[in-house]
Amino acid sequence: MSERSSLRLAVLGVLIVSLLVTMVGRLFFLQVVSADVYTQKASANQYRYVVTPATRGLILDQLGRPLVANRTSLVVSVDRTALAKQKDKGVAVLTRLAKALGTTYTAISYRLEICGLGSHEKPPICWNGSQYQPIPVAKDIPQDLALTIMEKRSDYPGVSAGLEAVRVFPGIDGVNAAHLLGYLGPVSDSELAAQKAAQQSGQLTAQDELLQRTDLIGRSGLEAEYDTQLRGTPGVKQLTVNQAAAVVGTVGETQATPGDYLVTNIDAKLQAVVEKQLYAGILRARSQTDKHTGQHYKGDSGAAVVLDVTNGHVLAMASWPSYDPSVWVGGISKKEYTALTAPASNYPLISRAMQGEFVPASTFKIVSASAALQNGYTANQTYQCPAFVQVGNRKFSNFEGEAPGPVDLAKGLAVSCDTMWYKIAFDYWLRDGGNNPVAKPLDPIEKMARSYGYGARTGIDLPSESRGRVGGRAFKTALNAQLHDAWCRRAKTGYPEVATTDPRRANLLKAYAVEACVSGGLYKGGDEVNLAIGQGDTVVTPLQVATAFAALANGGTLWQPQVAKGLVASDGKVVSIFKPKKNGTLPVSKANMAFLRSAFSQVTSQPYGTGYNPFKGFPLAQIPVAAKTGTGQAAKSGDQSTSWFATFAPANKPKYAVVMMVSQGGTGAGTSAPSVRKIYEALFGVTGSTVDPTKSVLAGGTPATKLPTVLADGTPVYPGMPKSVAAAKPVTAPAATAGANDAASPNPGPSSSSSGVLVALPVLLGAGLVGRRARRDRRSRAPDVRLWSR
C-alpha cells in the first residue's frame, strides 16, 4: 500500500471515530443528562385539555336588581373527533345539520375550523378553543329541533344540543348604563403571548387564574375592572391521546366554579332617571338658540353624576351619546363597530363622565373661593364687580358684560361675578413676582385646585379614567419644555402648509410661535385670571367636579368614587365588602367650608342667584340646594359654550352631590339646571313643593347600606322582582357544550328578558320530553336559529 493510501485511510479512520464519539456523546446527553426534560415533554404530548368556561357572575344594583345577567340558550355543538371517525369525515352529517338549521354546509364547516390552522375566517367565526371539545355552531334553536337531534342520534352522530349561559342586559326601567357595565370580548393572541411570557419569567404560576383561548374577558367598564372575580374558574378535562392524536381515555376532570356576583352602589331606578334627564338636557340645549350667532346649540354630548357625599359611592353615572351594550355579545360586526367609532357618531364608546375633558368654567370658583378665604381674603369684605378688568393689553369681562357692582363674597358667587376673581387672581400673580416670579411662588389657586383633586385621576373603579389638567404655572413650564424647540422652528419657517388655504390663520400661528419661542414658559397674568374662573388651559371631567363638590359638602374629605359595593358568591355567601377609600383632605378651615356651603345655597335661593329660576317652587326651605352654574367658553372657533350645573343637597346636611354637563349646550341655568332639579325631586320624593320620602326613587328614601340577598340557587332577591324570576333557577354551572355570547340586538338600548334576570328554558335533555311527538309543533317553517357568531 502506498504512503498516500495509508494517509487517506488514517484520515478516514479519524473522521469515523469522531462521528462515533459525537453520536455517542449526543445520545448520552439526550438519554442521560436531559432525560427528565424529554420525559416530561413526551408525557405532555400524551395529554390534551378540554376547557369548559365557568358561568360568569351577575352584576347587580345596590338592591340586587340585575344590571347584567345570564339567560339560558339552546345550543347545537359538533364534536370534530366523532366526525373524523366517519367514512366521509362527517360531510353527510353536517349537510343534514345545515339543512335543519337553515344554513349551509360551508358556514358550519368554517365554524368547526381551528383558528390559525389555515382557517377561512377569523375569530369569533373560527373556533379559538380545543379541537377535542364540542364546538358550538348555532344557538337559540327551537325546542323541537333540539329534540329531533337528540332523538335521531343515528342521523346526527357527533352532534349534541345543550343549554348555555348567555350574557344579557335586563334594562330594568330602561336602564342603559353601557359605560358603567362595559362588555366582553375574546382573548387576543397578544394577551396569551404575554401570559406565556409571564409564566416563563416566574411572574405567573400554575396557581394563578390563567386565561384560556375560549375565555371571554371584560373589555371595558365593570366587566373589565372586576373581570377575574366575575369570570370564575373554568372546568378542565384532561384527555390522553395516541400517536394519531385520537382520544383514548380521560385522566381527570375538575368542575367549573361560577364567578362571583358583583354588587354595585348603582341604584337602577335612579340610574334610569339620571339617563332620562341627561337626554332631556341634550334636547333642551338643542331647542335653545345662541343669541350671538342665531344658531341652535348642538348639544353634542353630556354627562351626569350622582354621588353619596358621605362615602364616595357612585349612585348613578350617565354619559351621552351611549350605545347598546348587547351589540358586543357574540362578536360585533365590522359595520356595527364602524358605526360606533366613526366621527359622525360622536364616539359613543367614550364615557364623558370620566373620560371627557371640559373647561369647568364657573364651577371652578369652588376652588378660587377656598383659596381666597385661606389666603388673605374674607367673606364679609366688599368686592368690586365691574363689567370688565384690564390685564395687560387685554380686557377680561363678565358673562354678557354684566356689572353687578359692589358685592360680598357670597353674592359674588351667587351672581357668578368673574371680574372680582380676575382682580384676586391678578393680585396673587403680582405677589408671586409677576413676570419675574419669585423662587418659590405660592400659587394658592393652583395648589387649592390640586387639593380638590383636579389634575389627577379620582381612582374610580372603572378603567381608562382621564386625569384632566390644571392650567397653572406647572403646566405652562412643562408645556414649554416639551414644545419650545418646535415653536422656535415654526417661528422661522411659519406654516406654509396652512398658508396655501388660509393665509390669515397661517400668519396668526406664526405670530403665536414667535411669541412662544421667546416667552412660552412664562406664566403671565392672563394665565392666572383665566385659571381663577375655570377657563384657559384647565380641563376637568364631570366626575372630578362631583368629587370636589362632595368634598366641600361632607366637611373636607375627598373620597375615591366607588361603583362596586361588594362581592357575593353564586351560592349567596358574602365574599367581600369594599370599604370607602379616602383620597385626601381639603386644606380649608371648617368655618370657611361652612360659609361656602351657605354661600352656594344663595345660587338657588336668592332672586339674584344664577340658579334661582330653575328652582322656583322647589321646597328649598326643607331641602336647600347648594349650587354653582357654569358656562364654559369654547376655545375652538365654531364651538359653542359648555353648560354646567354642579350641586349638593341638602346644603345644611348634605347627602348627595349631583353634577350635569352638556357640551355645546349653552348656559348652566338654561340647560343643565332643570334636569338636575328633576333628579333631586326623584331622590327626595318631591312633588311640586311637597316632600314625601316614601316617593323617593330610592327604596326607603336612602341608599342601601347592606348587600342584597342571593339565594343558595343563585337567585338574587330584590323588591318588585317578577314571579317568573322567583320561580326560575339561574344558570350556575355550564352545560356540557362550550359557551359563548349572544348575538347583537338590532334595536338600540339594552336587551331585556321577560323575567328580568333569566329566561328559564325547559331542560330538554330529560327523558320525560323525549318521544312526546304529539305535543310538538310539526310545522315545516324554517327555524329561527342564530349562528353562533357573525
Side-chain angles (χ1 to χ4, degrees):
M1 183 181 292
S2 67
E3 183 177 346
R4 177 175 293 183
S5 297
S6 299
L7 180 60
R8 287 177 178 174
L9 288 173
V11 171
L12 181 60
V14 171
L15 181 60
I16 292 173
V17 171
S18 298
L19 290 174
L20 288 173
V21 170
T22 301
M23 183 176 67
V24 171
R26 181 60 178 168
L27 288 173
F28 180 82
F29 176 79
L30 291 175
Q31 297 186 6
V32 179
V33 178
S34 302
D36 293 341
V37 174
Y38 287 98
T39 298
Q40 292 177 1
K41 290 186 176 181
S43 177
N45 286 333
Q46 299 174 12
Y47 302 111
R48 295 295 185 270
Y49 300 90
V50 175
V51 178
T52 304
T55 301
R56 197 169 178 89
L58 277 59
I59 301 179
L60 310 175
D61 87 336
Q62 58 175 282
L63 292 179
R65 292 177 288 225
L67 299 173
V68 184
N70 298 314
R71 68 176 178 85
T72 53
S73 172
L74 273 171
V75 176
V76 171
S77 299
V78 176
D79 188 341
R80 284 168 48 102
T81 303
L83 294 184
K85 295 178 181 179
Q86 299 176 31
K87 292 181 179 181
D88 63 352
K89 304 300 180 183
V91 173
V93 173
L94 294 183
T95 301
R96 282 193 294 272
L97 180 62
K99 183 178 180 180
L101 294 175
T103 183
T104 64
Y105 167 83
T106 301
I108 292 182
S109 63
Y110 282 1
R111 283 173 168 76
L112 295 177
E113 291 177 342
I114 306 301
C115 296
L117 299 179
S119 59
H120 291 82
E121 298 285 353
K122 296 181 179 180
I125 295 180
C126 63
W127 178 240
N128 210 25
S130 170
Q131 61 181 319
Y132 297 101
Q133 68 188 92
I135 299 173
V137 296
K139 63 173 205 168
D140 290 341
I141 65 170
Q143 297 180 17
D144 54 339
L145 178 57
L147 286 170
T148 297
I149 291 173
M150 297 306 295
E151 287 179 346
K152 298 184 178 181
R153 299 280 188 175
S154 58
D155 288 343
Y156 298 100
V159 180
S160 60
L163 294 173
E164 295 290 347
V166 177
R167 216 62 168 157
V168 66
F169 299 84
I172 292 178
D173 281 5
V175 165
N176 174 264
H179 300 95
L180 285 168
L181 303 175
Y183 55 87
L184 305 178
V187 177
S188 66
D189 289 338
S190 60
E191 287 168 326
L192 291 174
Q195 177 176 270
K196 184 176 181 179
Q199 286 180 282
Q200 293 174 344
S201 65
Q203 297 177 13
L204 289 176
T205 65
Q207 284 71 40
D208 291 309
E209 295 289 341
L210 301 179
L211 295 174
Q212 307 293 333
R213 278 197 173 275
T214 53
D215 280 343
L216 290 169
I217 61 175
R219 290 300 183 193
S220 73
L222 293 170
E223 293 276 30
E225 189 73 15
Y226 294 95
D227 179 69
T228 301
Q229 295 90 335
L230 289 166
R231 187 161 20 102
T233 305
V236 179
K237 180 186 290 186
Q238 187 178 12
L239 307 175
T240 55
V241 296
N242 58 22
Q243 292 179 341
V247 177
V248 295
T250 300
V251 177
E253 182 176 4
T254 58
Q255 296 299 319
T257 302
D260 294 331
Y261 290 11
L262 180 67
V263 180
T264 69
N265 292 305
I266 300 297
D267 183 90
K269 291 184 177 294
L270 176 61
Q271 178 72 22
V273 170
V274 171
E275 290 176 1
K276 178 180 178 181
Q277 289 306 317
L278 173 59
Y279 187 57
I282 296 289
L283 296 180
R284 191 177 299 113
R286 293 175 177 179
S287 69
Q288 298 173 4
T289 303
D290 185 341
K291 65 181 180 181
H292 297 291
T293 65
Q295 297 178 343
H296 283 283
Y297 288 108
K298 299 174 184 177
D300 60 353
S301 64
V305 182
V306 180
L307 297 181
D308 185 333
V309 304
T310 64
N311 50 27
H313 288 177
V314 180
L315 303 179
M317 189 165 77
S319 177
W320 195 92
S322 190
Y323 61 95
D324 177 5
S326 67
V327 75
W328 299 91
V329 179
I332 189 170
S333 68
K334 291 181 180 179
K335 182 179 180 181
E336 289 166 331
Y337 184 76
T338 300
L340 290 175
T341 55
S345 68
N346 202 18
Y347 308 106
L349 297 180
I350 296 174
S351 170
R352 267 59 178 196
M354 51 170 274
Q355 294 173 314
E357 296 180 330
F358 309 88
V359 291
S362 289
T363 64
F364 194 79
K365 289 173 184 174
I366 188 176
V367 171
S368 301
S370 298
L373 290 172
Q374 293 296 124
N375 291 274
Y377 290 89
T378 65
N380 297 320
Q381 72 184 81
T382 300
Y383 299 86
Q384 296 301 318
C385 187
F388 68 89
V389 169
Q390 189 84 24
V391 178
N393 60 358
R394 181 181 172 187
K395 286 184 178 180
F396 289 83
S397 304
N398 274 329
F399 180 72
E400 303 293 352
E402 297 171 346
V407 294
D408 59 17
L409 186 54
K411 186 175 181 179
L413 290 170
V415 301
S416 202
C417 174
D418 288 339
T419 51
M420 63 180 282
W421 296 110
Y422 296 150
K423 290 183 176 182
I424 292 173
F426 191 65
D427 178 46
Y428 284 143
W429 180 75
L430 291 175
R431 291 185 194 180
D432 283 333
N435 286 328
N436 299 292
V438 297
K440 294 182 178 181
L442 295 178
D443 292 328
I445 297 178
E446 179 176 354
K447 290 180 180 178
M448 185 61 71
R450 298 191 186 282
S451 296
Y452 267 97
Y454 291 120
R457 296 183 180 91
T458 65
I460 188 173
D461 49 343
L462 290 172
S464 305
E465 180 189 7
S466 297
R467 65 171 66 248
R469 180 176 65 237
V470 177
R473 193 184 305 271
F475 164 75
K476 200 72 180 289
T477 301
L479 186 66
N480 181 65
Q482 179 184 357
L483 299 178
H484 182 264
D485 291 344
W487 285 331
C488 292
R489 185 170 60 254
R490 286 292 190 174
K492 294 179 180 180
T493 65
Y495 293 81
E497 70 277 15
V498 179
T500 56
T501 57
D502 193 345
R504 183 174 178 275
R505 183 167 179 266
N507 290 333
L508 289 174
L509 290 173
K510 183 176 181 180
Y512 176 80
V514 171
E515 181 182 358
C517 179
V518 175
S519 59
L522 181 62
Y523 189 61
K524 301 177 182 179
D527 297 321
E528 181 73 6
V529 300
N530 267 329
L531 174 64
I533 62 161
Q535 292 285 164
D537 295 314
T538 299
V539 290
V540 301
T541 68
L543 178 62
Q544 287 176 322
V545 176
T547 57
F549 273 73
L552 176 63
N554 66 35
T557 300
L558 198 67
W559 292 111
Q560 178 176 303
Q562 286 185 319
V563 180
K565 183 189 291 287
L567 292 166
V568 179
S570 60
D571 61 1
K573 296 179 181 178
V574 174
V575 176
S576 61
I577 299 176
F578 304 138
K579 296 181 180 180
K581 297 179 181 179
K582 184 177 177 181
N583 278 343
T585 303
L586 298 181
V588 184
S589 70
K590 291 183 178 180
N592 285 338
M593 283 190 284
F595 165 77
L596 289 174
R597 288 192 289 270
S598 174
F600 284 118
S601 299
Q602 294 187 22
V603 172
T604 56
S605 64
Q606 297 302 316
Y608 50 74
T610 54
Y612 177 76
N613 287 331
F615 275 79
K616 278 184 178 179
F618 189 86
L620 292 172
Q622 297 170 265
I623 309 171
V625 177
K628 188 68 199 77
T629 55
T631 305
Q633 297 177 11
K636 186 178 178 181
S637 177
D639 283 354
Q640 299 168 320
S641 56
T642 300
S643 167
W644 285 96
F645 200 66
T647 68
F648 55 84
N652 55 355
K653 194 175 181 181
K655 293 182 178 180
Y656 311 110
V658 180
V659 171
M660 183 172 290
M661 179 281 309
V662 177
S663 172
Q664 303 201 75
T667 66
T671 297
S672 297
S675 286
V676 171
R677 172 177 174 162
K678 290 292 185 182
I679 294 172
Y680 275 124
E681 288 176 352
L683 278 168
F684 291 105
V686 176
T687 303
S689 58
T690 303
V691 181
D692 184 356
T694 63
K695 295 183 179 180
S696 169
V697 71
L698 301 177
T702 59
T705 57
K706 297 180 180 180
L707 295 180
T709 298
V710 175
L711 302 180
D713 67 0
T715 303
V717 178
Y718 57 91
M721 62 187 297
K723 294 181 179 179
S724 58
V725 177
K729 185 174 181 179
V731 178
T732 56
T737 50
N741 270 4
D742 192 3
S745 168
N747 301 316
S751 62
S752 61
S753 65
S754 60
S755 67
V757 179
L758 298 162
V759 179
L761 299 178
V763 179
L764 301 182
L765 308 185
L769 288 180
V770 177
R772 297 182 184 176
R773 297 182 180 179
R775 299 185 182 181
R776 290 165 46 192
D777 183 359
R778 286 292 190 179
R779 289 175 294 178
S780 59
R781 63 178 176 81
D784 181 17
V785 177
R786 300 184 190 180
L787 292 181
W788 188 253
S789 53
R790 292 168 294 176

